[in-house]
Amino acid sequence: MSRIVYVNGDYIPEEEATVSIFDRGFLMADGVYEVTSVLGGKLIDFDGHAKRLERSLAELDMPSPCTMDELLEIHRQLVEKNGIDEGLVYLQVTRGSDGDRDFVFPDPATTKPTLVLFTQNKPGLADSPAAKKGAKVISVPDIRWHRRDIKTVQLLYPSMAKMMAKKAGCDDAWLVEDGFVTEGSSNNAYIVKGNKIITRELSNDILHGITRAAVLKLAAEAQMEVEERNFTIAEAQEADEAFTTSASAFVMPVVEIDGATLGDGTPGKIALRLREIYLDEMRKAAV
């Protein structure tokens, strides 16, 4: 059966979904997105994603296509219509199309934003074999623009970074700027040294991860020590363990960085414990 997707107010089969060739998301990457996980047919941390979406739209002076309550209902409808038990809901908002190409923004009074959503069915998302094995990462220069705190659809370089990792026989890449790790290609990055969790502080240089916020809150509640500061690849290679966080992979242990094995080469106990706590708590709070 074909997936049901949402396009500008309509629930339609995916093969019938279309947007204008003049849409600014297609021509200019003038759009933002969010990805919300689904566990047990319920949405994980939807409120956090909704708040970040509102911030991204505001930072780009882009009107919201609907209220957050309406957006929640759209998410729920898509989960139900597609029978998603474990998976993802992808949401994208662009500045829309006024029927031609121009660098100047169209008038929001006459051009409505484009809103599209679709689901991805991911059975076994929470019980990921990759999390039990741990990820191998490489480092690459961070050459992205300097508003990484806005979750835009400008994902060419992160895609290139993932392909560099794949070519090197690894799972992902950590981005490095001025000698320090910023974040992963699609996740926030952490190391653990002497039971202390270390991660870069929030700024325009990294995405303000929704999973990051939840995990750090849960770590503090579990009496784990957290230090927000920069760290280098060399420091990461000497760490006891490392991990990443994201909405689609939750807490993912890292076992190798640029060929250097961390610990005994298996997922660390803190990363695994945080993953367990996060999944337990997020399931309880899911909507």
Side-chain angles (χ1 to χ4, degrees):
M1 184 177 71
S2 175
R3 266 185 301 188
I4 298 300
V5 302
Y6 180 94
V7 181
N8 293 330
D10 296 320
Y11 296 93
I12 54 179
E14 61 180 298
E15 60 271 15
E16 297 178 17
T18 61
V19 296
S20 170
I21 64 166
F22 299 112
D23 191 277
R24 288 181 61 86
F26 174 62
L27 295 178
M28 306 285 191
D30 189 0
V32 299
Y33 78 103
E34 286 289 338
V35 179
T36 302
S37 290
V38 179
L39 294 178
K42 293 185 176 182
L43 299 162
I44 299 299
D45 213 345
F46 176 83
D47 187 57
H49 289 285
K51 283 184 171 62
R52 185 171 63 184
L53 175 64
E54 290 181 312
R55 180 182 182 276
S56 293
L57 291 170
E59 290 294 311
L60 296 179
D61 196 23
M62 191 181 298
S64 178
C66 62
T67 68
M68 294 304 108
D69 285 342
E70 289 170 336
L71 203 57
L72 174 58
E73 181 57 26
I74 295 169
H75 277 70
R76 285 173 166 164
Q77 286 289 327
L78 283 176
V79 169
E80 181 180 346
K81 290 177 185 294
N82 291 295
I84 304 297
D85 181 61
E86 290 194 354
L88 309 170
V89 180
Y90 178 89
L91 149 76
Q92 181 168 305
V93 182
T94 79
R95 209 177 299 270
S97 166
D98 61 359
D100 210 339
R101 180 182 182 274
D102 196 335
F103 280 89
V104 176
F105 292 172
D107 184 352
T110 56
T111 300
K112 294 181 178 180
T114 296
L115 173 62
V116 299
L117 294 93
F118 58 82
T119 59
Q120 292 180 293
N121 191 33
K122 303 274 187 182
L125 182 66
D127 191 28
S128 167
K132 298 173 183 176
K133 182 178 67 173
K136 298 179 180 181
V137 303
I138 62 168
S139 63
V140 300
D142 195 341
I143 58 173
R144 300 170 297 164
W145 80 318
H146 283 277
R147 286 308 307 273
R148 302 154 193 165
D149 55 306
I150 306 173
K151 197 170 177 69
T152 74
V153 297
Q154 299 177 54
L155 297 174
L156 177 57
Y157 188 66
S159 295
M160 293 173 67
K162 284 190 183 292
M163 292 308 297
M164 286 183 248
K166 183 177 180 180
K167 186 176 181 179
C170 293
D171 304 292
D172 205 354
W174 279 9
L175 309 179
V176 178
E177 185 175 58
D178 299 328
F180 296 103
V181 174
T182 48
E183 56 190 342
S185 62
S186 61
N187 42 58
N188 292 119
Y190 310 73
I191 60 173
V192 179
K193 190 69 175 178
N195 293 322
K196 180 188 292 183
I197 300 166
I198 302 166
T199 190
R200 194 179 180 107
E201 65 182 356
L202 292 179
S203 69
N204 290 352
D205 293 328
I206 68 170
L207 184 68
H208 298 192
I210 302 306
T211 308
R212 175 192 187 278
V215 166
L216 292 185
K217 178 176 180 290
L218 292 169
E221 291 173 355
Q223 305 301 308
M224 297 180 184
E225 186 178 359
V226 176
E227 182 179 2
E228 295 183 66
R229 65 166 174 82
N230 295 349
F231 61 85
T232 66
I233 287 294
E235 184 179 6
Q237 290 175 319
E238 295 296 321
D240 299 323
E241 57 180 289
F243 61 94
T244 61
T245 61
S246 67
S248 58
F250 312 123
V251 179
M252 178 60 63
V254 170
V255 297
E256 181 183 297
I257 301 173
D258 277 345
T261 300
L262 275 64
D264 63 2
T266 63
K269 66 180 188 303
I270 288 180
L272 291 176
R273 178 58 180 150
L274 283 173
R275 181 180 177 88
E276 179 184 33
I277 295 171
Y278 174 82
L279 288 171
D280 284 348
E281 293 302 315
M282 289 301 104
R283 281 192 170 107
K284 293 175 186 175
V287 297

